[in-house]
Amino acid sequence: QLQLVESGGGLVQAGDSLRVSCVASGRGFSDYTVGWFRQAPGKERELVASIKWSGDETDYTDSVKGRFAISRDNAKNTVYLQMNELQPEDTAVYSCAVSPYYSRTTNRDTRSFTYWGQGTQVTVSS
């Protein structure tokens, strides 16, 4: 079993950058795909980015391509999401989750993800 804890959220202005982290405790973290999801008030949870267990494949939702970057350090059981050029529409609770699968389809299906963190709030003011 894995426990995931996110950190690094906060209040920033449009155009600013922020890095959120997801730290895992437990065994097997390096065997899982890690996904960052976000959920804004009144909206469904959506995939932001995912990274394969090996770290050599990544997947992004179209709205963040070129602005966000996901990376992982398996030695530290940590996955990062670097967010640049933040916009008000990026405001949401950001959560990380792990999945034993990696594909464009499973990355976007929350049912593929077995363990979830509590989330960290990111608020972008205009």
Side-chain angles (χ1 to χ4, degrees), residues 13-74:
Q13 293 187 332
D16 285 351
S17 298
L18 200 62
R19 188 178 78 165
V20 291
S21 302
C22 170
V23 179
S25 58
R27 303 180 71 175
F29 176 74
S30 61
D31 296 330
Y32 287 98
T33 288
V34 178
W36 277 103
F37 291 80
R38 65 186 179 187
Q39 187 166 23
K43 294 189 176 181
E44 291 189 355
R45 181 178 284 174
E46 66 168 349
L47 173 74
V48 177
S50 64
I51 187 165
K52 198 174 182 180
W53 45 83
S54 54
D56 60 351
E57 291 188 53
T58 56
D59 184 13
Y60 297 91
T61 194
D62 288 345
S63 62
V64 307
K65 284 181 181 177
R67 298 190 298 125
F68 289 13
I70 188 171
S71 61
R72 69 189 297 163
D73 184 342
N74 286 338

Side-chain angles (χ1 to χ4, degrees), residues 4-7 20-24 29 34 36 77-80 96-97:
L4 307 175
V5 178
E6 302 92 339
S7 64
V20 291
S21 302
C22 170
V23 179
F29 176 74
V34 178
W36 277 103
N77 276 10
T78 302
V79 170
Y80 306 98
C96 62

